Amino acid sequence: MKNFISIALNSWFKEQKQSVLLFDSITAADEIALMLNGQWDGCNGVIMTKCDEVAINTAAQLLEAAWCYQGDSKAVLERLTNDELLRRYAMGERNFINANLRCTVLASMNLSKINLSYTKLSSANLNQVNLTQADLTAADLNEANLSGADLSKAFLVRANLTKANLQLADLKGANLSMANLSGVNLTDADLRGANLALADLRGVNFHFCDLTGANLTGAKFFESELAFAKQR
């Protein structure tokens, strides 16, 4: 009986939980929010208190739009080209949540304050890119080249940076809590004041990396490797 009540309550709470839907264009999100009585976030997201996938799919088909839930492990949106991203960014758009940018080349580009949370950026070339104050929450940056990149004050909570190259990167004041940085190259990187709480730092190359004032609470790392870092 207790199990039945627990299942019923969990089901009820799940139904009450708001869902965030992401569409492949701002226009589609705006129109679908009106059609389905949702809350448009001003970009490509729609907040729904009651999520009816049949109605969403019908509306999306009418507008020839693609959609997915925010945080989906696999994006359903089509691959975003470099030119399209830069064109939309130049027009003032900053929200590119869940975009597929695997293996993209955006070296030396200015993308400050961009929202790339949950974005797929594995093996991307982001050498010397400007990502100051960017939102990269839970982004997949596995084996990405971020050497010399400016990530100061960037939000990288739960980001996957496994085996990424962050040599000479500026990460001052960046939030990397719970991020996976295993096997990352942080040679000569600047992490002064960065938040690395609960981050996985095992196998990281800390040679000449500046960790002055960094928060390492609960982080996983090998003490011997920190001997090569700067800490004041």
Side-chain angles (χ1 to χ4, degrees), residues 9-58:
L9 285 172
N10 287 335
S11 177
W12 183 85
F13 281 121
K14 186 176 181 181
E15 288 176 2
Q16 300 305 308
K17 187 178 179 181
Q18 290 184 328
S19 298
V20 180
L21 315 178
L22 304 174
F23 293 85
D24 55 359
S25 74
I26 291 176
T27 302
D30 184 15
E31 293 189 24
I32 287 177
L34 289 172
M35 292 167 68
L36 302 180
N37 198 28
Q39 181 184 344
W40 179 45
D41 69 357
C43 292
N44 67 325
V46 176
I47 301 169
M48 303 286 293
T49 52
K50 185 176 181 181
C51 194
D52 183 340
E53 291 194 6
V54 174
I56 296 166
N57 286 328
T58 301

Side-chain angles (χ1 to χ4, degrees), residues 43-113:
C43 292
N44 67 325
V46 176
I47 301 169
M48 303 286 293
T49 52
K50 185 176 181 181
C51 194
D52 183 340
E53 291 194 6
V54 174
I56 296 166
N57 286 328
T58 301
Q61 288 175 7
L62 287 172
L63 296 172
E64 298 183 346
W67 71 280
C68 64
Y69 289 104
Q70 179 174 299
D72 272 353
S73 59
K74 183 178 180 181
V76 298
L77 305 184
E78 294 182 2
R79 178 176 173 78
L80 186 62
T81 65
N82 298 4
D83 290 343
E84 179 66 7
L85 171 66
L86 295 174
R87 182 187 69 79
R88 288 162 60 178
Y89 183 89
M91 293 175 65
E93 189 171 345
R94 294 292 180 270
N95 198 344
F96 297 92
I97 299 172
N98 225 347
N100 181 359
L101 288 161
R102 290 185 178 92
C103 302
T104 193
V105 179
L106 293 167
S108 302
M109 294 292 107
N110 178 17
L111 298 171
S112 63
K113 298 183 179 180

Side-chain angles (χ1 to χ4, degrees), residues 159-187:
N160 177 19
L161 288 149
T162 307
K163 296 182 180 179
N165 182 5
L166 283 159
Q167 183 174 5
L168 292 168
D170 185 348
L171 288 151
K172 289 193 299 291
N175 190 343
L176 291 145
S177 59
M178 297 179 282
N180 186 352
L181 289 93
S182 56
V184 166
N185 181 7
L186 284 173
T187 303

